[in-house]
């Protein structure tokens, strides 16, 4: 990302923003439900009045009045989960969900803005490298990051110029106000491990701005390089293979 930003020239600007907001732990319960669903684990059956003692008493009384005396029915033995029958990808997904739910998390919003003068504006230079950097964190079998369609500064058909200016104004206002709610939804959940992966404070060990590029260019072959199958190469091979006759050999 720093290498891509270092190629910007005078008149170009690139802004990158990560907003974190504290949130409750309701997302943890949803994660547990999703993990149980993947492994086929069934939750506790709840009655009309809940799963407490009052609910159980109400269900028992109702069954006695409506259905008559309760008879013991043999229950089939059910597996606690289907974890042993999951594919490697499904097992990885379950482990990732459990691992994420075990750490503190924040509501996260990531923004990137690039703008420049018309004569030097280049989407290839100002946008593509940053998007490519963010996509390196994506996993084909798990979650990933992608640009939000609602915040793209594009407009077509009906009043395109007016709609384009409205989008630009909203994006700039949300960035300046550090809003976690404006734009494409209220953000998403990222725990401390994920946040430490996508961003960490520069240290004395990380010296990315000092990395120098190695310039290389293609050059022609050196002069006098033997060509395969040439006459000079064949003569040289024959000369090297010819040995003098031993001494005392009769003629």
């Amino acid at each position: 990302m720093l290498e891509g930003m270092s190629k910007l020239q005078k008149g170009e600007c690139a802004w990158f923003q990560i907003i974190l907001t504290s949130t409750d732990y309701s997302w943890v319960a949803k994660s547990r439900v999703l993990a149980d669903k993947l492994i086929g684990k069934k939750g506790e059956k709840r009655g009309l009045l809940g799963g407490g003692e009052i609910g159980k008493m109400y269900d028992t009384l109702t069954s006695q009045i409506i259905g008559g005396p309760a008879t013991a029915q043999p229950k089939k033995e059910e597996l606690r989960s289907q974890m042993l029958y999951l594919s490697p990808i499904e097992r990885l997904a379950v482990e990732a969900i459990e691992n994420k739910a075990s750490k503190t998390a924040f509501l996260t919003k990531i923004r990137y803005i690039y703008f420049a003068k018309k004569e030097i504006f280049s989407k290839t230079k100002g946008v593509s490298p940053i998007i490519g950097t963010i996509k390196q964190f994506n996993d084909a079998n798990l979650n990933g990051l992608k640009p939000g369609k609602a915040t793209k500064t594009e407009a077509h058909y009906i009043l395109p110029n007016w709609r384009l200016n409205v989008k630009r104004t909203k994006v700039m206002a949300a960035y300046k106000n550090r809003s976690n709610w404006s734009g494409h939804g209220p953000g998403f959940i990222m725990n401390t491990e994920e946040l430490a992966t996508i961003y960490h404070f520069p240290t004395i060990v990380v010296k990315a701005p000092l990395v120098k590029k190695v310039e290389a260019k293609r050059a022609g072959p050196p002069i006098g390089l033997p060509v395969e199958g040439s006459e000079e190469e064949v003569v040289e091979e024959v000369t090297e293979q010819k040995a003098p006759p031993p001494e005392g050999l009769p003629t």
Side-chain angles (χ1 to χ4, degrees), residues 36 40-44 78-80:
D36 292 344
K41 181 180 178 181
K42 296 183 179 180
E44 182 182 358
E78 297 180 355
L79 295 177
R80 184 175 179 271

Side-chain angles (χ1 to χ4, degrees), residues 60-173:
T60 303
L61 181 61
T62 304
S63 62
Q64 293 291 338
I65 296 176
I66 299 177
T71 56
Q73 297 292 336
K75 294 183 179 180
K76 296 182 179 180
E77 184 178 356
E78 297 180 355
L79 295 177
R80 184 175 179 271
S81 68
Q82 302 292 332
M83 195 69 180
L84 296 176
Y85 304 97
L86 296 180
S87 65
I89 296 178
E90 293 173 339
R91 187 187 300 271
L92 179 64
V94 174
E95 293 177 355
I97 294 173
E98 295 287 350
N99 180 62
K100 180 168 184 175
S102 64
K103 296 180 175 63
T104 304
F106 297 87
L107 197 61
T108 308
K109 177 66 71 72
I110 299 178
R111 290 189 180 92
Y112 174 72
I113 296 179
Y114 166 74
F115 60 94
K117 297 181 179 179
K118 291 184 178 180
E119 56 271 16
I120 61 175
F121 182 88
S122 176
K123 186 176 179 180
T124 304
K125 183 176 64 175
V127 179
S128 299
I130 308 302
I131 300 300
T133 301
I134 297 299
K135 286 186 176 180
Q136 295 183 32
F137 298 105
N138 294 355
D139 194 304
N141 302 317
L142 301 175
N143 289 336
L145 301 173
K146 65 179 182 179
K149 295 182 179 180
T151 56
K152 287 185 177 181
T153 52
E154 296 179 352
H156 306 283
Y157 308 113
I158 303 174
L159 302 175
N161 294 332
W162 178 80
R163 292 169 54 211
L164 183 60
N165 291 331
V166 171
K167 286 187 175 182
R168 291 171 176 173
T169 303
K170 289 183 178 180
V171 170
M172 185 66 69

Side-chain angles (χ1 to χ4, degrees), residues 32-75:
R32 305 293 185 190
V33 172
L34 179 58
D36 292 344
K37 182 179 179 181
L38 291 175
I39 64 178
K41 181 180 178 181
K42 296 183 179 180
E44 182 182 358
K45 186 177 181 180
R46 303 176 64 88
L48 297 176
L49 298 181
E53 294 297 332
I54 298 178
K56 293 179 181 179
M57 293 174 58
Y58 176 82
D59 295 338
T60 303
L61 181 61
T62 304
S63 62
Q64 293 291 338
I65 296 176
I66 299 177
T71 56
Q73 297 292 336
K75 294 183 179 180

